Amino acid sequence: MARPDNALRAASDQITRAQNDKALRPEVASFFDETTNTVSYVVSDPASKEAAIIDSVLDYEAASGRTSHSSADRLVEYINTNSLKVTWHIETHAHADHLSAAPYLQKKLGGKLAIGREITRVQDVFGKLFNAGTDFERDGSQFDHLFVDGETFGLGELEGIALHVPGHTPADMAFIIGDAAFVGDTVFMPDYGTARADFPGGDARQLFQSIWRLLSLPDTTRIFLCHDYKAPGREEFSWETTVKQQREENVHIKDGVSEDDFVKMRTSRDAGLSMPQLIMPSIQVNIRGGHLPEPEDNGVSYIKIPVNAV
């Protein structure tokens, strides 16, 4: 018999309250970076003007190794134009497809940087892969706050709750703010399906269970995705859906798909996928809370590429 999921029940109750009271719903501004197919969000409380930035993007040119800030500066402009006060920089997980701009945005805007507590497991695995040495702390101390499952937090007068949704990586979190769910790399748009589960520490069966945890939220819950890859036949990028739409239409995990069938599909599909183009720089930076590796004695930071190790 399944144990009661008190965190899920609390999240469902929160969503219901927000759907019945407009004052408890956040404003959500989306910023799509087509280079990495990533969506960043500025989530704000209309009453207090407090805001959270979720999954920001640092522009990175792989050929030259140069970083820039045009994507992050779009968020800064929006926040300043709307007189918002940033209190949180939230990462849904340690991304493998883009570098986080959180440290740059913290310098510009203030606020605490947060991620799920299981980031320590990811740091341990990739710290070894990149031979990061004993100077690289594997305790999550690069972040200001580590969320645990069911933890509540405030965004002005809005309520938020963190849900642990592992499977894509061990550290994935979803964040429910008002009636909106920011689900990171768990599901994509219904015509595209679900996230891969073959990274170190990933698990397709765990991903199935995490997704269904999210799809047990009220049908009208607004779901905001971290990526869109525009499924064949669709003309526009899209990144907002609902629980109901996912349950009825998701090509990988809609109602009626069994856990065993999902695991078989996901495992087969993942076996044919190539690694994300920016996985090496992204992981090395993101397990450090968005900071580049410490400069060497010439003042330059270096990204390592392990050869024949992945």
Side-chain angles (χ1 to χ4, degrees):
M1 183 176 181
R3 293 182 300 172
D5 191 335
N6 294 329
L8 183 66
R9 184 181 299 112
S12 296
D13 290 345
Q14 173 188 294
I15 290 166
T16 299
R17 288 194 299 273
Q19 290 174 341
N20 291 331
D21 185 349
K22 187 176 180 181
L24 300 178
R25 302 175 203 165
E27 295 285 346
V28 181
S30 308
F31 300 84
F32 184 65
D33 175 52
E34 190 169 349
T35 301
T36 61
N37 294 94
T38 302
V39 193
S40 303
Y41 297 99
V42 176
V43 188
S44 60
D45 170 27
S48 68
K49 297 289 188 177
E50 284 195 21
I53 295 173
I54 300 178
D55 292 335
S56 61
V57 173
L58 178 71
D59 300 307
Y60 177 79
E61 185 181 279
S64 66
R66 289 192 173 276
T67 62
S68 56
H69 304 102
S70 60
S71 294
D73 284 338
R74 292 168 60 203
L75 278 63
V76 174
E77 181 181 8
Y78 173 84
I79 287 162
N80 289 337
T81 297
N82 290 277
S83 301
L84 302 178
K85 177 185 177 182
V86 174
T87 55
W88 290 105
H89 300 265
I90 294 175
E91 303 290 346
T92 54
H93 62 294
H95 306 274
D97 40 33
H98 71 273
L99 285 66
S100 169
Y104 173 80
L105 290 167
Q106 281 186 290
K107 288 181 181 178
K108 291 277 187 179
L109 302 166
K112 292 182 178 181
L113 174 59
I115 199 167
R117 182 175 64 180
E118 296 302 312
I119 186 62
T120 57
R121 292 179 58 190
V122 179
Q123 288 176 327
D124 186 56
V125 169
F126 284 100
K128 293 174 183 175
L129 176 64
F130 292 117
N131 198 29
T134 57
D135 290 341
F136 172 59
E137 299 290 345
R138 294 161 170 82
D139 58 1
S141 57
Q142 300 85 350
F143 300 85
D144 300 311
H145 185 78
L146 301 180
F147 280 109
V148 298
D149 185 55
E151 182 176 350
T152 59
F153 61 99
L155 187 65
E157 298 179 16
L158 302 181
E159 298 176 333
I161 188 166
L163 297 178
H164 186 212
V165 287
H168 174 62
T169 79
D172 280 62
M173 301 290 289
F175 295 90
I176 316 301
I177 302 174
D179 67 331
F182 300 88
V183 301
D185 288 15
T186 51
V187 294
F188 300 133
M189 289 301 291
D191 59 359
Y192 199 86
T194 58
R196 66 195 298 166
D198 61 330
F199 292 149
D203 184 281
R205 195 168 297 278
Q206 202 171 45
L207 179 62
F208 179 92
Q209 295 165 3
S210 291
I211 291 172
W212 271 105
R213 192 180 190 206
L214 293 171
L215 297 186
S216 299
L217 293 168
D219 279 354
T220 53
T221 303
R222 294 188 290 165
I223 292 180
F224 293 91
L225 313 176
C226 189
H227 298 287
D228 184 49
Y229 300 98
K230 200 164 61 174
R234 176 153 50 88
E235 295 184 0
E236 302 293 333
F237 289 106
S238 186
W239 45 82
E240 182 179 350
T241 178
T242 65
V243 165
K244 186 176 188 292
Q245 186 181 17
Q246 291 285 352
R247 293 186 63 150
E248 292 180 349
E249 302 176 18
N250 191 289
V251 294
H252 292 167
I253 202 168
K254 63 185 176 182
D255 285 333
V257 175
S258 73
E259 182 173 324
D260 287 343
D261 285 344
F262 175 83
V263 170
K264 182 178 179 181
M265 176 282 300
R266 190 69 266 171
T267 302
S268 174
R269 184 177 176 87
D270 289 349
L273 296 177
S274 59
M275 286 290 105
Q277 184 178 2
L278 295 182
I279 187 171
M280 295 303 174
S282 295
I283 292 292
Q284 286 175 79
V285 168
N286 294 337
I287 60 175
R288 292 177 166 86
H291 293 279
L292 297 174
E294 284 296 316
E296 298 191 7
D297 55 11
N298 62 355
V300 177
S301 293
Y302 289 86
I303 297 293
K304 293 181 177 180
I305 301 179
V307 178
N308 298 326
V310 177

